[in-house]
Structure formats: structure tokens, C-alpha cells
């Protein structure tokens, strides 16, 4: 797996990994990963979540076609108890 | 009599309840059932990355198929954060438009920032949201929020989670008298009589969370709140007797009391 090769995501086209900001934390993932693949890695497939990428909502139907890039700012949310 | 309408949807219960601060989802669900609420608020928060993705989900305990889920913007201090949160909520809830907007201004009092609230309202209404808005008990702000297109105006009774009850019934009466959309008291209710007073003032509904969740027996308090809202509504519709200050009138006949001696004419 590419994930096991630790290379910085900042090497441009040579990069084997990508570093995202996920819920305010850096996360390094294989380069060219799709949002659907990321959601699957996180164990959220089929769960009630919503995703924002760089300030824009990504509809569930577009997770597969959304390729994540270095520096992308992702927010993944759920409903929790509140008033 | 007890049904009411928000954004063209009719609801049986005038009591709206939150889902925060319960011991677990079983208690959450039991309290909501006891309250009889149709509309149930939820908060939107980041997932815990790296933690068990299979932990139970609130929306399994409180399914959108059974309840009208009202996502809130609790914790947001800017219009932008509130708008982003509700866009995420709409995606999370499959395009559901009804939302509760609250933009806070101060972490100690949780008092609403009405300037940011007005800004967020403009954006949300333009984007097609049905906005139920938490606000201060200022009648002018309430009117402006209504004029911007909010589907319900929800002034505080007192500070969020304080249980201090209805501090300014006079302002609430002004807001209710002028409103063309439903007015719900949101925040500050502490016990059943507070909810009844809100309804007697003519509120269309009451939204509460802590008053139920922080009671010693939340499920029994949820039941009490259900009755209080119904009782307050009936009292409002029945029309209370006028107050007669310092002027007693007996309920029983004044004549015919034993022992009275009538003098011959």
C-alpha cells in the first residue's frame, strides 16, 4: 500500500501522500484518494454524516468523484444531543 | 386546539424538546416519548476521528422517520459558522429545511448576538431554509427577524440552561401581540409552572432541554412539561378572569347563611 511509504505530500506530482486538515487535525493519506475512500477508511460508510470540503458541502452522491488534494480542509459532522 | 403550524407543517405538540445532557440515548428516547414532542432539536458536531465509528448514533435513538429533527447552531458565535453548520445539517438530514438558528454573543451568559443572528437569517432565508430563530426578548429584533422571513421567533425566557423561568413576561406579551409568525419561548424554563406561564401569555409553544434533562427524574419531568404546556394553552384559550386588585368577591351566595337574624320591617 502506498500509505506505508512515508513521503511528504508537498512534493507536487511526485507525492505519494496527501496531507489534509480533517476536523482541524492534519491527516496524511495516500495521494489521489477519493472522499468515498477516505470515508470508508474512517469507518463511516453508510453512517449519517455530512461533509464539507474547503467551505463547500459535498453531497453524498459525489463522494466517489471527489478527489482530495493536499491542504484540503475537511469537516465531517454528525448529529449529537443538544438543545 | 393543541395542534399548531410552522412553515406549513402541522404539529400535535406545542412542546419542543432538546436531546442534550441525558445519561444515554435510552433515557433521551424515554424522555422524548414522555414529553409527547413532535419536534426534537439536535446539535451538529465534528466526528471523533480515530474513535470507534460504530458507537451508537443519536439519530438511531431519535429517528427522523418518527420525529421532526430540528438541527441547531448551538456553539456558533458568527453568522458564517451558523450558516455553514446548517448547510451541513441540511445535507445530513437529506435536504430537510427546518432549522433552529442561534448565534451566541458571550460564552458566560450564552446571550444571543442579534446582529450576527440577523445576518445569518438573511443568508439562510435566501438559501431556502425555514428558520426558527432564537433571540433576545427585544420586540424590535423579534419583528425584524420576522420581517426577514423567519418561520418562528423564539425569544428567551431567561439564560440558556439557567432554569430561572420567565423574567420578562411584559416583553414577551409585546412580542406575541405583534407577531405574525409563531412565537415560542426558548431557553430558561426551569419547571412546569414556567412552561404553563409561557403558554398562558399566548406563546404558540415552548422549547426546552435542561429543565427536563437536569431534573432528578427526567422522564417524569417530561410528562409534567407535556401537561403544563397543554394546561397553559387551555387556560389561554379559555380566557382567564380579570384580575381584581384588592377587591374580593365571594364565590358562595352571600345570603342564607345560618344564624343571621333578620329584623322585622
Amino acid at each position: 500500500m502506498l500509505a506505508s511509504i512515508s513521503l511528504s505530500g508537498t512534493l507536487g506530482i511526485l507525492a505519494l501522500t496527501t496531507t489534509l486538515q480533517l476536523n482541524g487535525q492534519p491527516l496524511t493519506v495516500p495521494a489521489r484518494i477519493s472522499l468515498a475512500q477516505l470515508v470508508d477508511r474512517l469507518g463511516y460508510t453508510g453512517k449519517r454524516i455530512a461533509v464539507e470540503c474547503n467551505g463547500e458541502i459535498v453531497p453524498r452522491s459525489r463522494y466517489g468523484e471527489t478527489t482530495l488534494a493536499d491542504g484540503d480542509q475537511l469537516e465531517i459532522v454528525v448529529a449529537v444531543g443538544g438543545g | 386546539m393543541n395542534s399548531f403550524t410552522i412553515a406549513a407543517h402541522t404539529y400535535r405538540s406545542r412542546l419542543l424538546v432538546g436531546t442534550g445532557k441525558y445519561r444515554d440515548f435510552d433515557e433521551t428516547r424515554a424522555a422524548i416519548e414522555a414529553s409527547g414532542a413532535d419536534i426534537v432539536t439536535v446539535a451538529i458536531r465534528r466526528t471523533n476521528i480515530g474513535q470507534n465509528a460504530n458507537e451508537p448514533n443519536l439519530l438511531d435513538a431519535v429517528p427522523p422517520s418518527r420525529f421532526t429533527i430540528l438541527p441547531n447552531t448551538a456553539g456558533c458565535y458568527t453568522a458564517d459558522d451558523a450558516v455553514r453548520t446548517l448547510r451541513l445539517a441540511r445535507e445530513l438530514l437529506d435536504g430537510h429545511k427546518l432549522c433552529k438558528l442561534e448565534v451566541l454573543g458571550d460564552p458566560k451568559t450564552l446571550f444571543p448576538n442579534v446582529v450576527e443572528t440577523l445576518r445569518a437569517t438573511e443568508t439562510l432565508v435566501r438559501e431556502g431554509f425555514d428558520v426558527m430563530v432564537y433571540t433576545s426578548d427585544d420586540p424590535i429584533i423579534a419583528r425584524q427577524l420576522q420581517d426577514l422571513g423567519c418561520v418562528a421567533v423564539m425569544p428567551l425566557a431567561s439564560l440558556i440552561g439557567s432554569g430561572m423561568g420567565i423574567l420578562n413576561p411584559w416583553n414577551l406579551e409585546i412580542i406575541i401581540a405583534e407577531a405574525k409568525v409563531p412565537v415560542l419561548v426558548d431557553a430558561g424554563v426551569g419547571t412546569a409552572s414556567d412552561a404553563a406561564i409561557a403558554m398562558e401569555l399566548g406563546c404558540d409553544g415552548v422549547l426546552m432541554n435542561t429543565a427536563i434533562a437536569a431534573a432528578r427524574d427526567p422522564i417524569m419531568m417530561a410528562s409534567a412539561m407535556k401537561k403544563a404546556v397543554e394546561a397553559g394553552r387551555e387556560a389561554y384559550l379559555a380566557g382567564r378572569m380579570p384580575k381584581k386588585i384588592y377587591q374580593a368577591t365571594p364565590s358562595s351566595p352571600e345570603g342564607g347563611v345560618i344564624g343571621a337574624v333578620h329584623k322585622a320591617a
Side-chain angles (χ1 to χ4, degrees):
Chain A
M1 276 291 286
L2 293 177
S4 62
I5 302 169
S6 179
L7 276 181
S8 164
T10 57
L11 294 177
I13 55 165
L14 295 176
L16 297 175
T17 64
T18 289
T19 301
L20 313 165
Q21 282 286 321
L22 173 55
N23 290 355
Q25 304 275 350
L27 180 72
T28 300
V29 293
R32 312 263 331 136
I33 191 172
S34 73
L35 179 55
Q37 289 169 317
L38 176 67
V39 165
D40 190 51
R41 285 166 76 101
L42 296 170
Y44 296 153
T45 300
K47 308 281 181 202
R48 265 194 185 273
I49 58 165
V51 182
E52 181 198 73
C53 182
N54 301 328
E56 301 289 330
I57 299 295
V58 185
R60 220 163 297 157
S61 57
R62 296 228 296 270
Y63 290 177
E65 67 197 56
T66 302
T67 303
L68 299 173
D70 220 42
D72 278 351
Q73 308 262 344
L74 287 169
E75 298 282 351
I76 303 184
V77 300
V78 289
V80 303
Chain B
M1 175 191 69
N2 270 325
S3 68
F4 79 132
T5 301
I6 296 175
H9 283 83
T10 298
Y11 302 94
R12 279 172 301 127
S13 175
R14 292 171 178 270
L15 174 58
L16 288 66
V17 298
T19 52
K21 303 183 187 172
Y22 288 101
R23 198 172 54 221
D24 52 38
F25 288 154
D26 287 343
E27 187 182 69
T28 309
R29 175 66 186 250
I32 292 170
E33 294 284 2
S35 78
D38 299 318
I39 302 177
V40 175
T41 63
V42 304
I44 304 297
R45 288 292 181 274
R46 287 170 162 170
T47 56
N48 292 318
I49 304 298
Q51 293 193 8
N52 178 14
N54 289 315
E55 61 192 27
N57 185 304
L58 174 63
L59 295 180
D60 295 331
V62 187
S65 56
R66 166 82 198 280
F67 300 98
T68 297
I69 304 297
L70 184 66
N72 71 25
T73 61
C76 291
Y77 283 81
T78 66
D80 289 348
D81 282 351
V83 168
R84 282 173 66 196
T85 298
L86 290 176
R87 287 175 184 151
L88 280 162
R90 181 157 66 176
E91 167 66 16
L92 186 70
L93 296 167
D94 306 317
H96 176 77
K97 297 193 304 182
L98 192 68
C99 62
K100 171 181 161 179
L101 173 65
E102 58 180 293
V103 187
L104 304 176
D106 176 65
K108 184 169 160 58
T109 62
L110 302 179
F111 225 85
N113 180 330
V114 294
V115 176
E116 290 294 301
T117 302
L118 288 161
R119 281 189 54 216
T121 298
E122 284 182 324
T123 305
L124 292 167
V125 169
R126 193 168 59 237
E127 294 186 8
F129 286 90
D130 291 330
V131 181
M132 301 177 71
V133 62
Y134 170 66
T135 184
S136 64
D137 60 7
D138 179 331
I140 307 306
I141 297 296
R143 187 170 66 201
Q144 290 177 344
L145 289 164
Q146 172 187 286
D147 292 347
L148 285 173
C150 289
V151 299
V153 174
M154 305 198 291
L156 52 77
S158 50
L159 302 182
I160 293 173
S162 72
M164 292 169 72
I166 294 167
L167 299 188
N168 196 338
W170 308 100
N171 275 28
L172 292 177
E173 284 195 320
I174 296 171
I175 292 171
I176 291 162
E178 300 204 342
K180 299 183 190 73
V181 297
V183 175
L184 292 85
V185 153
D186 178 5
V189 165
T191 188
S193 54
D194 298 332
I197 290 168
M199 296 307 294
E200 288 171 13
L201 289 171
C203 283
D204 296 279
V206 181
L207 197 167
M208 66 180 74
N209 189 153
T210 310
I212 295 174
R216 191 176 62 241
D217 183 337
I219 293 154
M220 192 183 290
M221 186 59 88
S223 168
M225 291 299 186
K226 177 184 188 203
K227 292 165 186 156
V229 167
E230 288 173 359
R233 178 67 182 170
E234 286 191 11
Y236 170 74
L237 292 176
R240 62 152 298 149
M241 61 164 280
K243 280 184 186 167
K244 287 175 260 181
I245 307 296
Y246 299 125
Q247 189 191 322
T249 50
S251 304
S252 307
E254 291 182 73
V257 180
I258 62 164
V261 177
H262 298 274
K263 289 177 185 159

